[in-house]
Amino acid sequence: MVIYLRRRKWEKQRKEVYEDYWKFTAALTDICGNKFKNALSVIVNYIDQNKTTLEENAKEENNFNASPLYKELLFIVKMNK
């Protein structure tokens, strides 16, 4: 267990190791395929169009996954499959 200071209180969180996960994911992802390229393009365009809002959100210690921005981005990516 690793203890992190988060939002002004101590919480215990388990330390996660991503190396094996990424090896598995990269092996199964067709990074040269159109589906991947389209998703990446949508994400980059979204970041470019919402840069100021994303920067403001990053300054706050919010969980991006719970934000309306993230939900909107997921919707846009799913619509462009």
Side-chain angles (χ1 to χ4, degrees):
M1 273 281 176
V2 177
I3 298 175
Y4 294 97
L5 179 60
R6 193 170 186 185
R7 293 190 184 173
R8 299 182 186 178
K9 65 180 179 181
W10 290 96
E11 297 176 354
K12 290 184 180 180
Q13 296 179 345
R14 66 188 166 103
K15 187 175 181 180
E16 297 183 17
V17 180
Y18 291 99
E19 287 80 13
D20 293 334
Y21 169 78
W22 288 113
K23 287 178 190 174
F24 176 77
T25 302
L28 297 177
T29 302
D30 180 11
I31 60 172
C32 295
N34 287 333
K35 188 174 179 180
F36 180 83
K37 290 177 188 176
N38 290 343
L40 189 57
S41 176
V42 166
I43 293 167
V44 169
N45 288 336
Y46 185 83
I47 291 169
D48 289 344
Q49 293 171 359
N50 296 283
K51 184 177 180 184
T52 304
T53 307
L54 291 166
E55 287 173 344
E56 289 170 2
N57 185 270
K59 288 177 186 174
E60 301 170 7
E61 293 185 22
N62 294 338
N63 180 0
F64 181 68
N65 294 350
S67 73
L69 294 169
Y70 181 71
K71 291 175 184 171
E72 180 182 31
L73 178 57
L74 280 181
F75 176 77
I76 293 169
V77 170
K78 287 179 182 178
M79 294 301 294
N80 287 285
K81 280 187 177 181

